[in-house]
Amino acid sequence: MYKKKAITEKNAIIKAQNLCAEREKCESDIRKKLYDWKLPVKNHDTVIDRLIQDKFIDEKRFAISFAKDKFRYNKWGKIKIEFALKQKQINGAVIKIALDEIDESEYDTLLENDLIKKNNTIKDTDEYTIKSKLIRFASSRGFENGKVFDKVSSIIEMRKK
């Protein structure tokens, strides 16, 4: 069976720089790669420090890019984005900055449009069932309960007319 050989620190830096040049990466992503490449753990901090120093890793830049992409392309709400960034061990202050970069009117419009689309696919006529399906849908996307309840109520009112 083929066993992976450990990589040198110099080669790890070069490989990590190439990874970071292709796509935005955070520190935890690179640490996982270094571990996968079998780089001795004592060298991980040296490689990470070098990447940060050379601006290949920037947690704030990563978080902002991640938040905008997940919002625009995956249609995630702020709660789900925040949770994903916490899993990547991003600092809370940086997460707040990234979430603040999302345009609030665009955010509300996305939520409303998605709820309207979902509403059009619901065949039930019972108001309670419709409401619960819409709330569950938006909550699973990571939108805040207050916003969800407000939008669902207005959609239910529109449906009655």
Side-chain angles (χ1 to χ4, degrees):
M1 186 167 181
Y2 176 72
K3 192 174 181 182
K4 264 190 174 178
K5 210 167 95 172
I7 191 171
T8 66
E9 186 177 303
K10 185 179 178 184
N11 286 343
I13 290 172
I14 292 167
K15 262 180 110 166
Q17 285 174 336
N18 288 335
L19 264 179
C20 292
E22 287 174 17
R23 186 177 341 149
E24 230 20 275
K25 297 284 184 187
C26 65
E27 187 177 323
S28 69
D29 290 342
I30 297 300
R31 284 194 188 279
K32 285 177 190 157
K33 286 292 183 187
L34 296 175
Y35 182 78
D36 290 346
W37 296 336
K38 308 270 190 256
L39 180 72
V41 177
K42 64 181 184 199
N43 297 359
H44 286 199
D45 285 337
T46 310
V47 173
I48 295 292
D49 290 343
R50 175 74 185 275
L51 293 170
I52 291 171
Q53 176 188 337
D54 293 344
K55 303 263 189 264
F56 281 98
I57 295 178
D58 183 337
E59 298 282 288
K60 182 179 172 187
R61 187 178 66 212
F62 169 80
I64 290 170
S65 171
F66 183 89
K68 284 183 176 181
D69 285 353
K70 292 300 180 187
F71 167 65
R72 283 209 179 96
Y73 302 115
N74 297 42
K75 298 181 179 181
W76 285 7
K78 290 182 180 181
I79 294 171
K80 194 167 185 175
I81 294 169
E82 180 180 3
F83 183 74
L85 286 170
K86 282 181 180 175
Q87 283 185 313
K88 292 190 173 285
Q89 300 164 359
I90 304 295
N91 178 312
V94 174
I95 292 173
K96 185 180 178 344
I97 291 168
L99 294 176
D100 287 345
E101 288 287 318
I102 296 172
D103 180 68
E104 205 60 40
S105 64
E106 199 177 329
Y107 187 75
D108 290 341
T109 303
L110 175 84
L111 173 59
E112 189 172 352
N113 289 342
D114 277 1
L115 284 171
I116 289 170
K117 281 182 197 170
K118 180 66 177 175
N119 181 41
N120 293 337
T121 66
I122 298 173
K123 302 291 183 237
D124 285 299
T125 54
D126 178 45
E127 186 179 317
Y128 178 78
T129 306
I130 295 166
K131 224 177 200 179
S132 63
K133 284 184 178 187
L134 290 174
I135 290 169
R136 203 172 317 116
F137 169 77
S139 294
S140 73
R141 290 274 179 97
F143 288 93
E144 301 89 331
N145 287 338
K147 281 189 184 286
V148 170
F149 294 143
D150 291 344
K151 297 289 181 190
V152 167
S153 295
S154 66
I155 288 171
I156 295 295
E157 287 304 314
M158 285 179 0
R159 191 175 175 123
K160 287 179 183 177
K161 293 177 183 178

